[in-house]
């Protein structure tokens, strides 16, 4: 197997396996079996969602300034993406003490760089939540309106973990979209344009370039046309229904392909084991 792809798969397998290790029927985590959060974040479409989310988040000049001043992204975009995935997997699929400890570390980092202002945290949270939904719907499968609303409501737990008051966080998808649309002052600043270029040309083994290009192309399909134009992404990235269908097929293949690896099979078996135990316990009460 090509060395860059092998390394990326090893990283992903490690993240998945480590995240679920602490789960049990007594503590199935903050979300647990049957949650829409488990369904969305266990699918390979989340890789594309995450890229789209950070490009959208970068439109906020204050958020972008914090990233530009402090993030490792400027020197290692791939590592930054892995760090984000690690955090999301941990708070979603780990037992509560493990998830709470990861969130506490993130809160300390935010406080240390002055990135703990509630409006800024809410912007990052809202965009991440909306684009996780968009990515799943585009490249994995349909969600009912009730399921989408349930995911938004579940993600208020994630908002609480980073320090937000859940009562200030949108509870439905309509509320979420309305809140995002009302945020003023968004735009592609010079740091945001530089950030987007780093996304497209991120340093990585040459064998990973097609894989990364697939994710950037998929992310562009989730962003509004005007955002792609402002970032100048539309000049070379594929657009339209055919591109969406081809990328969806590729992501479904990647999602299925992960099951070829024993750590992923064990992790997913562990999730099902916890789900059966939780259901058995609920039935016995």
């Amino acid at each position: 197997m090509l060395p860059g792809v092998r390394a990326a798969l090893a990283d992903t397998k490690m993240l998945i396996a480590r995240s679920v290790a602490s789960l049990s029927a007594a503590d199935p985590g903050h979300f647990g079996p049957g949650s829409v959060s488990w369904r969305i974040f266990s699918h390979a479409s989340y890789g594309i969602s995450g890229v789209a989310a950070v490009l959208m988040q970068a439109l906020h000049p204050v958020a972008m300034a914090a990233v530009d001043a402090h993030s490792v992204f400027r020197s290692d975009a791939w590592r930054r993406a892995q760090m984000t995935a690690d955090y999301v997997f941990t708070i979603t699929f780990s037992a509560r003490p493990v998830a709470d400890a990861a969130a506490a570390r993130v809160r300390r980092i935010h406080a240390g760089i002055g990135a703990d202002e509630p409006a800024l945290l809410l912007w990052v949270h809202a965009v991440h939540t909306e684009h996780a939904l968009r990515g799943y719907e585009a490249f994995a499968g349909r969600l009912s309106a009730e399921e989408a609303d349930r995911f938004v409501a579940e993600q208020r737990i994630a908002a609480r973990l980073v320090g937000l008051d859940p009562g200030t966080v949108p509870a439905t998808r309509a509320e979420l979209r309305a809140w995002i649309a009302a945020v003023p002052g968004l735009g592609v600043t010079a740091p945001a344009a530089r950030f987007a270029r780093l996304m497209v040309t991120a340093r990585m083994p040459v064998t990973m370039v097609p894989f990364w290009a697939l994710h950037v192309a998929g992310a562009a399909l989730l962003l509004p046309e005007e955002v792609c134009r402002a970032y100048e992404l539309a000049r070379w990235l594929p657009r339209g229904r055919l591109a969406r269908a081809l990328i969806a097929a590729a992501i479904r293949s990647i999602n299925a392909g992960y099951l070829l690896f024993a750590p992923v099979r064990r992790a997913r078996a562990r999730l099902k084991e916890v789900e059966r135990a939780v259901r058995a316990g609920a039935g016995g009460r």
Side-chain angles (χ1 to χ4, degrees), residues 23 28-32 35 37-38 41 87-94 99 155:
L23 288 177
H30 284 291
F31 300 94
S35 66
S37 296
W38 270 26
F41 291 130
Y87 175 72
V88 172
F89 289 164
T90 299
I91 66 166
T92 304
F93 297 108
S94 296
Q155 286 303 295

Side-chain angles (χ1 to χ4, degrees), residues 40-41 43-58 73 77 80-82 84-85 88-89 124 127-136 139 195 199 212 215-216 218-220 222-223:
I40 287 178
F41 291 130
H43 196 275
S45 61
Y46 175 62
I48 288 179
S49 304
V51 175
V54 296
L55 286 169
M56 191 71 184
Q57 288 162 353
F73 205 105
R80 180 65 181 85
Q82 288 293 101
T84 300
V88 172
F89 289 164
V124 172
V127 170
H128 179 264
T129 302
E130 170 61 15
H131 285 77
L133 282 169
R134 290 189 187 190
Y136 189 89
F139 305 120
F195 179 82
M199 287 285 292
W212 186 247
H215 282 68
V216 175
L222 302 182
L223 296 171

